[in-house]
Amino acid sequence: MEFPKDLKYTKEHEWVRTEEDNIVTVGITDYAQDSLGDVVYIELPQEGGTVTKNEPFGVVESVKSVSDLYSPVSGVVKEVNEELIESPEIINGDPYGDAWMIKVEINSPEELDDLLTSEEYQKFIEEEK
Amino acid sequence: MSYIPHTEADLQRMLRDIGVGSVEELLRDVPPDVRVKEPLDLPHPLSEQGLLSLLRQISSENSTAGDYATFLGAGAYNHYIPSPVRHIVGRSEFYTSYTPYQPEISQGILQSIFEYQTLICQLTAMDVANASLYDGASAVAEAVIMAGRITGRKRVVLSSAIHPEYRQTVRTYLRGGDKEIVEVFYCTEKGTTLADAVERVCGDEPACLVVQSPNFFGCIEDLASLAEVIHSRGGLFVVVVSEPLSLAILKPPGECGADIAVGEGQSFGNPLNFGGPYLGFMATRSEFVRQMPGRLVGRTTDRDGKTRYCLTLATREQHIRRDRATSNICTNEGLCALTAVVYLACLGRRGLRKLARINLSKAEYLKERLISTDILEPGFTSPTFNEFTMKVKKVTPERLLSVLLDKGIIGGLALRRFYPELKDHILVSVTEMNSREDMERYATGVLQAV
Amino acid sequence: MAFDDPFSDKPLIFELSREGRQGVEPSRCDVPERDPEASIPGEFLRSDIEGSPEVSEPEIIRHYTRLSRLNYGVDTGFYPLGSCTMKYNPKVNEDIASFEGFLLLHPYQPEELCQGALRLMYELECYLAEVSGMDSVTLQPSAGAQGEFCGLLTIDAYFRDRGKPRKKVIVPDTAHGTNPASTSLAGFRAVTVRTGKEGVLTLDTLKEVMDNDTAALMLTNPNTLGLFERHIKEISDYVHQMGGFVYCDGANLNALMGIAKLGEMGVDIVQFNLHKTFSTPHGGGGPGSGPVGVKKILEPYLPVPRIRKKDDRYTLDYNQPRSIGKLRAFYGNFSVMVKAYSYIRRMGPEGLKKASTVAIVNANYIKERLKSTYHLPFDRACMHECVFSDRFQSQYGVTTMDIAKRLIDYGFHPPTIYFPLIVHGAMMIEPTETESPEEIDRFIEAMKEIDREARESPDVVKNAPTRGIKRIDEAGAVRRPVLRWQGSGGGG
C-alpha cells in the first residue's frame, strides 16, 4: 500500500495535495479504496459550491458499503473530477492520480497544518486495524 | 415431532460432542428468573389429520365469494386466477427461498423480479419499478416520504378521493416526521379531484400532490390537468392505482405527468385472502431511482460472461445505510410479485386488455340495470371503469345491503363508514367473476328492498 | 447445435413473445361488449401495452419451471442463513391456507360472514402473547420491519400522550439495519451503544448513552452474535427507572419458545417474525408477517382495528382514539397468519419448546465442531446461532465471501455474511431445529474441507462457485444499472 510523502492525510482517509497558491486537490487514500472494495458510485459537490472542514462533501459507495467523504479543508470547489463520477472504478486503480475528486480554493492555508503526514497516517491506520 | 428429525439418542450424542451433560448447561446465560417454569398455556398438539379438520371447520365459519355473489371491491378485487399461476407459485424452489442475497443460487426469483419490474414499467409507462412494497396503502406512504426527500419540502396534498385506509396509512407513516398533510376535497358532483381545488390548498411549496385513479369512488381522474397544477408549483405528482387492471385500458400515469406511480397489485393473480398478503408496487422516473425505497434487481453478467441478475443499488437500503436509509423495508412481497408476473404472462398483451374491456362492459351493464330500478342512481357524473358509486333512494343503504345479503348477494360497501356525507351511497364493483345472472338477481333484489 | 445446459442464461418472458400467442384467455363476456370509448373520453384511454408479452401456456410453464430450477430453497437443501430462521415450511400449512374459506374472503365482508377468520386471528394473538409473555398483540404489520416501526410509533404516541415527547432510541452496534432505519422513520434519533467485550450489552456502557430524552432501548435477544443478553434484567430495570421502554426485536425468538419469556425480562414491546419463528415460507423475499406484542400500558396505541371477542362473537373495533392509526390497508397478511396458527396448533406447547431446544443444540454442535477450524470471536455457549470469522483463512487470501461461494459448490446455501458488523468478515450460522444431525455433519465436513482448500489451493475457493452458475458481478450491476428490459435492442 502506498502513501506518497508529498501528501497530507486525514483520519477519515482523505488525502490533500497542495497545487499552487491556495488551490488543493482532495481524494481518498489507497487504504480507503482497499477497505471499500470495488467502488461503484461517487457523489461529489457542484463546481462553485463550498466545502467545510470536517463536514461531509460527498459519498463513496461500494456494492455493500457507503461512506461519507469528509472535507479536509474549507473553501470553494473550483473543479470536480467528472470522469471519476462516470467511472468510479478508477479509484481502485489510481487513488492518488486519476481518481482525484475535487480541487478546492482554500480560505486559510493554516487549515493544512493539523493534517497528518504520511508517516503519521500510516501509524494511525496500523493502530486502527 | 415430525418437523424435528432428532431422536433422543441423536440429542444425547450431540450434547456429548458439545461437551455438556444436558441442554440446561447450554442455557446457563439465561437467568433463572426469566425461565419458563410451567409449560406454555397453549392447546395440545394436533396430528396432521386433526389439524386439517380443525382448520377446515374454522374456514367453514367464513362465507366467501364462493358462497355469495359479491360486488365488493374498494381496494380488493375478486378476479379469476388462471391455473398456471398457482402451479408456478406453488413450486417450492420459489416459495421456500429467502430474499435473493446469493445471486448464484437465486436466478429464478431474480429474473422473475426483473420481469416484474419491466411489466410494472410497461403498465405504468414509467422508467423504473422496484421489487415490491407491502401493499397499496404503505406504497403511497413510501411515495410521499420519497417525494419529501426529493423536493426537500413539507406540504403533502392528498386527494380525499384516495382510499380512506391509504390516507390513514399515510398519516400513520408521517407521525414521526415534519410533514404537513392537507386534503383536497373531491367535487361532490363529479366525484373527482379538481385542479382549481388543488390550487387553493397546495400553497407555494408543496412536496407532492397524491391522486388515485380510478379513485375510491371508481371515478377516473383527469390526471393530466392535475399534473400541470402541481408541477407549476414545483411539486411532484404521485398517482395511485388500487385496481391495476384499469391500466390495461386507461392512459398510464407516466403519460399523464406522474413522477411516482404506486398502487396495489392484488388484482394480478393474488387471492382476496381477507386483505393480505397483497402487492405494493412503485415506479418512478430514472432520475429518482436512488431515492426509491425497497429492493431493485439489475442485470449483470457472471464470470463466464452470461447474462445474470442480482439485487442492486443496495446502498439505499437499511442493511447498509441504516438510520439514513430510504426506507426500513426488508422483507417485501416477493412471492406476490412472482404471482403477478405469471398472471400477466398468462393474460398477455391482448388478454389483459380484453379482460379490462369485459370488466368495463359488465360494470356498465350493472350500472344501467340498477339505474333502471329507479331506486339507485349514479352518485357522481364522472366516467368509471369496473367500480362505481350509487346513491340509494327510498331505502337506506344498510337496509338495501341487508335485503341483498339475505338473497345471497353482497351488494357492495356502504360509504357512510368512510364518508359521513355519503350516507346514502354505496360502492359497487363488478369483475369477470360476476355473471349476468348474478347481476339480474342483484337488480331484482333491489326492487324487493323497497 | 449446442446441448442444453440447465445453467445457461435464460431468455426473458418478453423475448419468448410472438405476436398472436395467448396464455389463458378470459372467458366470454356474457353481456353486450362495450367500446371503452362509449363511456370514457378518448384522452383518458391508451391503445396498447407496449412490450407486454404474448406467450402460450406451455411456454409459460416451461419458462418459469426452468427458472425455478435455478433457485435454492429450504426444500432444496440446508439454508443456514443467520437470523433468518430458514426452518422447514410444513406442507399441510400451505394446503390449509388454500382453503376457499380463507382464500376467497373479502376484507370488507360483513363481520358475520368472516367469524372463522376473526376467530383465528384472535386466537393467534392470544398464542403469541403467551409465547412472549406480552399482554396484547396486533397482527397488522406486514413484516418484521413494519412491526418495528409499529412498536416505535406506539412508544412515541405514549410519550406524546403525556405531553413529554422523547427523541432518542438506543440501538446496539450488533442490531439489524432495520432497527436504526425504523427508528429514523418513526421520528427518533438512533444512538448506538457498543457491545461489551463478552459480546453482550453491559449496564455501564448503556448508562453512558441513556438519558431522560431516551424513549427506548431497542435490542435483540438473543443478540445477533447468538448470545443471550444475560444482563437483561438489570438493563431493563434501569431503562424503566429512566422512564424508557425496552423494545425487543423478535427476529431471534426461535431460541426462546417455552424456554424464557420476554415479558419476564422486562421487555415492553416485541415484534414477531411469523416467517421465521413460526415456519411460514419466506417466498423469495416475502410475504412475511410482523405482529407486535406489548405490555398493557401501550395497548391503547396499537393500530386499528382491534379484534374483540364477546360471547363467542368476534368483532372489529375501530374505536381506539389513542391508536397510531393504520400501517397498511385491511388487517395484515392474513394467509401468513393462517400458516403460523396451523404451526402452533400442530406443535403444541411441548413442540415449540422442543423446536427451540433442538435449534440451540444444533447451533452449539456446529460451534463446537468448527471452532478449531474457524475463528470464533466469542467462545461461550450460544443460543440458536453462532458467528465465526474468516481471520484464519484470510491469511491465505481467502475471504468470507469466497467461503460462502464455495459452500454453494458443496450444495449448501451460505450463512449470513459480513453481519453483525462488529465482527470483521462475519459468518453467521443458524441451523434451525429442522436439520437432521446427518445434514449438520455434512455441512461441518464441507466447512472443514473448504478450510483445507483455503490453505492448500486457495484459488479453488476464490473462484467458487465452480459448478453451476459462476460468480456474479454485483459491482457491474451498480456501475451500469439496467433495471428493466427495453426491447430486443437490449439497453437500459
Side-chain angles (χ1 to χ4, degrees):
Chain A
M1 230 171 264
E2 278 180 59
F3 303 97
K5 299 263 186 235
D6 58 327
L7 306 183
K8 293 275 208 163
Y9 298 85
T10 71
K11 288 184 177 178
E12 302 289 349
H13 311 291
E14 285 85 18
W15 55 260
V16 180
R17 179 184 291 123
T18 310
E19 302 291 345
E20 50 185 284
D21 299 331
N22 286 339
I23 305 284
V24 300
T25 306
V26 177
I28 62 168
T29 67
D30 204 6
Y31 176 75
Q33 71 77 18
D34 186 65
S35 318
L36 282 163
D38 290 344
V39 172
V40 293
Y41 179 73
I42 291 174
E43 230 171 66
L44 296 174
Q46 301 273 322
E47 232 171 81
T50 58
V51 292
T52 310
K53 190 176 169 88
N54 299 329
E55 298 278 321
F57 72 93
V59 170
V60 56
E61 295 184 3
S62 64
V63 177
K64 282 172 181 149
S65 76
V66 51
S67 306
D68 282 326
L69 297 163
Y70 289 91
S71 184
V73 293
S74 302
V76 178
V77 180
K78 301 307 271 185
E79 213 180 318
V80 175
N81 188 350
E82 300 289 344
E83 202 188 327
L84 180 64
I85 294 172
E86 282 300 304
S87 314
E89 60 270 26
I90 56 186
I91 278 197
N92 295 113
D94 191 7
Y96 302 111
D98 288 348
W100 64 273
M101 291 179 167
I102 51 172
K103 291 185 197 289
V104 182
E105 184 174 33
I106 52 175
N107 304 340
S108 51
E110 302 86 73
E111 279 188 354
L112 298 175
D113 296 346
D114 61 357
L115 298 178
L116 307 177
T117 64
S118 171
E119 291 75 24
E120 287 166 340
Y121 177 66
Q122 285 182 66
K123 196 158 163 264
F124 168 73
I125 55 177
E126 269 314 308
E127 285 164 11
E128 218 189 23
K129 277 179 190 167
Chain B
M1 191 59 55
S2 50
Y3 306 146
I4 304 172
H6 303 58
T7 62
E8 199 47 44
D10 289 329
L11 285 172
Q12 289 312 322
R13 200 260 301 171
M14 293 175 88
L15 288 170
R16 211 165 40 242
D17 285 356
I18 294 168
V20 294
S22 70
V23 173
E24 282 304 311
E25 284 182 55
L26 297 175
L27 297 176
R28 54 184 172 252
D29 278 351
V30 184
D33 51 345
V34 306
R35 290 292 302 277
V36 174
K37 278 124 206 143
E38 302 291 315
L40 293 173
D41 183 15
L42 295 171
H44 288 301
L46 295 168
S47 65
E48 186 178 292
Q49 189 183 346
L51 180 72
L52 271 168
S53 87
L54 171 72
L55 270 289
R56 207 178 287 286
Q57 188 230 318
I58 293 177
S59 82
S60 72
E61 291 164 21
N62 299 320
S63 301
T64 67
D67 312 309
Y68 282 75
T70 175
F71 295 86
L72 271 175
Y77 300 92
N78 182 29
H79 288 292
Y80 178 73
I81 301 172
S83 266
V85 174
R86 203 182 64 243
H87 285 272
I88 293 299
V89 174
R91 287 194 68 94
S92 71
E93 297 91 332
F94 284 131
Y95 81 76
T96 72
S97 65
Y98 199 75
T99 301
Y101 293 135
Q102 296 290 341
E104 293 84 0
I105 43 174
S106 310
Q107 284 301 297
I109 207 86
L110 285 162
Q111 181 169 334
S112 71
I113 293 172
F114 187 81
E115 293 180 355
Y116 163 81
Q117 290 175 179
T118 305
L119 286 159
I120 293 296
C121 289
Q122 291 168 347
L123 282 162
T124 57
M126 304 298 289
D127 300 328
V128 47
N130 75 7
S132 77
L133 297 167
Y134 303 131
D135 77 327
S138 60
V140 179
E142 292 275 12
V144 165
I145 292 169
M146 175 176 158
R149 202 158 47 229
I150 292 167
T151 59
R153 294 177 174 184
K154 294 183 169 49
R155 179 172 279 229
V156 173
V157 186
L158 297 182
S159 159
S160 66
I162 296 172
H163 194 302
E165 294 201 2
Y166 289 20
R167 278 179 287 138
Q168 202 179 358
T169 301
V170 172
R171 288 184 186 280
T172 299
Y173 263 75
L174 296 187
R175 282 177 70 94
D178 57 357
K179 300 276 189 308
E180 167 203 11
I181 300 174
V182 289
E183 288 204 5
V184 50
F185 206 74
Y186 64 89
C187 168
T188 52
E189 185 198 330
K190 293 188 170 134
T192 54
T193 315
L194 300 184
D196 54 346
V198 172
E199 236 169 342
R200 280 196 297 276
V201 302
C202 75
D204 295 332
E205 291 202 330
C208 60
L209 167 65
V210 191
V211 176
Q212 177 182 328
S213 185
N215 66 25
F216 189 66
F217 308 125
C219 299
I220 299 166
E221 296 273 4
D222 181 2
L223 296 176
S225 75
L226 295 164
E228 210 171 293
V229 180
I230 189 67
H231 286 155
S232 73
R233 308 285 176 99
L236 299 188
F237 189 37
V238 178
V239 174
V240 183
V241 181
S242 79
E243 169 47 298
L245 182 61
S246 66
L247 291 168
I249 56 169
L250 296 184
K251 186 165 274 190
E255 287 177 23
C256 303
D259 299 293
I260 306 172
V262 285
E264 176 53 68
Q266 175 264 329
S267 284
F268 294 154
N270 288 285
L272 287 169
N273 261 329
F274 203 45
Y278 286 0
L279 170 63
F281 69 82
M282 173 183 274
T284 188
R285 306 201 319 219
S286 302
E287 68 227 68
F288 300 140
V289 66
R290 284 186 169 269
Q291 298 303 331
M292 264 190 140
R295 314 258 184 221
L296 281 166
V297 171
R299 196 176 71 187
T300 185
T301 51
D302 66 14
R303 282 189 183 170
D304 287 346
K306 290 185 175 133
T307 298
R308 304 295 183 197
Y309 303 88
C310 64
L311 292 175
T312 195
L313 298 176
T315 51
R316 300 164 295 111
E317 293 181 64
Q318 47 76 28
H319 59 288
I320 295 172
R321 228 183 198 99
R322 299 177 77 87
D323 56 331
R324 290 194 284 162
T326 54
S327 167
N328 65 336
I329 193 166
C330 179
T331 289
N332 53 27
E333 306 291 303
L335 202 67
C336 302
L338 175 66
T339 304
V341 171
V342 183
Y343 178 88
L344 290 168
C346 283
L347 268 292
R349 189 174 189 158
R350 284 152 213 270
L352 198 69
R353 283 177 62 75
K354 186 171 174 202
L355 183 66
R357 285 171 71 121
I358 292 173
N359 273 248
L360 173 75
S361 302
K362 290 196 169 220
E364 290 298 315
Y365 181 85
L366 179 64
K367 198 195 278 181
E368 282 166 16
R369 285 292 289 116
L370 296 182
I371 293 170
S372 75
T373 62
D374 207 30
I375 293 165
L376 295 168
E377 66 182 22
F380 302 108
T381 58
S382 294
T384 59
F385 170 55
N386 67 355
E387 194 165 24
F388 52 87
T389 300
M390 297 300 274
K391 185 176 180 186
V392 186
K393 301 182 290 186
K394 300 174 189 169
V395 288
T396 64
E398 288 73 18
R399 155 102 186 130
L400 174 76
L401 292 175
S402 126
V403 169
L404 289 170
L405 198 60
D406 288 342
K407 300 182 179 310
I409 298 163
I410 303 174
L413 182 74
L415 286 175
R416 184 209 302 260
R417 166 178 175 189
F418 295 119
Y419 298 88
E421 73 277 14
L422 298 178
K423 60 180 172 34
D424 297 326
H425 294 64
I426 58 171
L427 181 63
V428 182
S429 160
V430 188
T431 72
E432 71 281 5
M433 302 299 271
N434 301 109
S435 67
R436 184 176 188 154
E437 193 195 334
D438 288 345
M439 296 192 276
E440 295 301 340
R441 279 174 50 221
Y442 192 147
T444 318
V446 167
L447 287 171
Q448 291 165 352
V450 183
Chain C
M1 150 125 207
F3 291 105
D4 180 51
D5 166 10
F7 299 109
S8 66
D9 35 7
K10 304 284 180 276
L12 292 160
I13 190 78
F14 311 100
E15 293 164 333
L16 297 172
S17 180
R18 298 291 179 271
E19 200 182 329
R21 285 193 193 159
Q22 169 78 59
V24 180
E25 76 283 4
S27 70
R28 201 181 53 84
C29 189
D30 60 0
V31 302
E33 272 217 58
R34 192 180 284 254
D35 251 349
E37 289 81 5
S39 52
I40 301 173
E43 76 221 58
F44 293 163
L45 295 170
R46 82 193 291 175
S47 56
D48 192 10
I49 313 165
E50 215 166 309
S52 186
E54 297 178 78
V55 189
S56 69
E57 178 172 333
E59 293 170 293
I60 292 167
I61 291 292
R62 192 159 292 160
H63 176 66
Y64 291 106
T65 300
R66 283 177 170 171
L67 287 185
S68 76
R69 293 173 59 198
L70 299 179
N71 229 54
Y72 188 102
V74 172
D75 286 2
T76 319
F78 186 35
Y79 216 123
L81 203 58
S83 274
C84 297
T85 315
M86 294 299 282
K87 61 170 76 175
Y88 173 68
N89 312 130
K91 299 303 147 192
V92 67
N93 298 353
E94 300 300 311
D95 295 344
I96 290 166
S98 68
F99 288 169
E100 285 208 350
F102 297 132
L103 217 58
L104 299 183
L105 200 57
H106 191 286
Y108 284 153
Q109 274 181 215
E111 277 168 7
E112 63 264 31
L113 301 188
C114 37
Q115 286 297 301
L118 295 177
R119 169 188 162 187
L120 184 147
M121 291 169 71
Y122 183 88
E123 290 178 356
L124 179 58
E125 288 183 0
C126 296
Y127 300 161
L128 294 175
E130 168 62 13
V131 169
S132 61
M134 293 290 145
D135 297 319
S136 298
V137 172
T138 173
L139 302 173
Q140 191 173 115
S142 315
Q146 203 180 39
E148 295 169 18
F149 180 50
C150 170
L152 290 162
L153 285 180
T154 62
I155 296 171
D156 177 58
Y158 169 91
F159 285 112
R160 287 196 208 205
D161 210 17
R162 278 151 188 77
K164 291 175 185 155
R166 294 189 174 197
K167 286 323 287 174
K168 278 166 53 176
V169 169
I170 296 172
V171 182
D173 51 6
T174 49
H176 296 113
T178 50
N179 291 180
S182 300
T183 298
S184 295
L185 186 63
F188 292 108
R189 188 161 58 84
V191 178
T192 306
V193 58
R194 288 178 81 101
T195 297
K197 281 193 195 67
E198 296 189 314
V200 291
L201 275 183
T202 63
L203 191 53
D204 288 343
T205 49
L206 179 65
K207 280 183 172 171
E208 286 167 22
V209 287
M210 178 94 197
D211 59 19
N212 52 20
D213 193 32
T214 303
L217 165 68
M218 188 177 200
L219 50 68
T220 308
N221 196 13
N223 66 25
T224 59
L225 295 164
L227 303 178
F228 191 87
E229 291 287 355
R230 58 187 186 280
H231 310 299
I232 182 73
K233 283 286 274 186
E234 301 97 275
I235 286 172
S236 50
D237 285 348
Y238 172 70
V239 172
H240 291 152
Q241 195 187 315
M242 296 293 284
F245 289 101
V246 179
Y247 182 109
C248 181
D249 181 329
N252 292 344
L253 190 64
N254 206 44
L256 300 181
M257 292 186 292
I259 290 174
K261 285 193 185 182
L262 293 166
E264 303 292 320
M265 301 174 206
V267 169
D268 303 292
I269 312 108
V270 59
Q271 110 276 346
F272 306 85
N273 295 55
L274 300 187
H275 49 290
K276 297 181 179 176
T277 319
F278 297 95
S279 86
T280 75
H282 291 60
S289 175
V292 169
V294 296
K295 290 283 176 67
K296 200 146 203 62
I297 192 167
L298 291 170
E299 206 252 339
Y301 308 101
L302 290 178
V304 286
R306 307 277 304 130
I307 302 164
R308 306 288 182 206
K309 180 185 183 187
K310 203 183 166 199
D311 306 332
D312 282 331
R313 205 189 118 79
Y314 299 89
T315 55
L316 292 166
D317 178 4
Y318 287 87
N319 185 21
Q320 297 291 303
R322 291 191 281 169
S323 163
I324 58 165
K326 286 191 74 65
L327 294 151
R328 52 166 295 156
F330 314 121
Y331 325 113
N333 283 343
F334 177 72
S335 78
V336 181
M337 301 170 203
V338 172
K339 295 174 199 180
Y341 179 94
S342 300
Y343 178 71
I344 294 173
R345 294 302 302 257
R346 180 96 165 84
M347 299 292 280
E350 304 83 6
L352 293 181
K353 183 176 181 181
K354 183 165 185 197
S356 287
T357 306
V358 175
I360 291 169
V361 172
N362 272 352
N364 277 284
Y365 181 78
I366 290 175
K367 182 191 70 112
E368 283 303 316
R369 289 209 45 206
L370 281 180
K371 76 179 188 189
S372 57
T373 312
Y374 288 87
H375 171 242
L376 181 70
F378 300 94
D379 186 8
R380 60 185 300 130
C382 65
M383 296 297 279
H384 67 306
E385 62 190 3
C386 56
V387 177
F388 293 99
S389 92
D390 61 357
R391 184 181 290 177
F392 301 159
Q393 290 71 26
S394 61
Q395 305 167 41
Y396 309 101
V398 168
T399 64
T400 286
M401 179 65 83
D402 300 323
I403 296 164
K405 298 300 183 193
R406 186 62 175 155
L407 273 170
I408 294 173
D409 280 335
Y410 284 93
F412 298 102
H413 194 284
T416 293
I417 53 173
Y418 299 106
F419 186 84
L421 303 173
I422 63 164
V423 174
H424 189 85
M427 288 176 269
M428 185 197 214
I429 298 170
E430 180 181 7
T432 83
E433 71 281 8
T434 61
E435 291 305 325
S436 70
E438 294 74 27
E439 188 71 4
I440 303 266
D441 281 337
R442 273 193 291 274
F443 174 75
I444 289 167
E445 287 316 311
M447 287 293 282
K448 289 187 168 174
E449 186 62 19
I450 293 169
D451 167 64
R452 192 184 58 76
E453 291 170 341
R455 284 179 281 115
E456 293 170 7
S457 47
D459 281 349
V460 179
V461 187
K462 284 193 256 185
N463 289 321
T466 57
R467 307 187 303 165
I469 291 174
K470 302 301 188 311
R471 203 175 294 195
I472 286 173
D473 178 13
E474 297 184 53
V478 191
R479 287 180 184 137
R480 289 164 295 277
V482 178
L483 305 173
R484 60 175 291 194
W485 177 80
Q486 281 196 322
S488 43

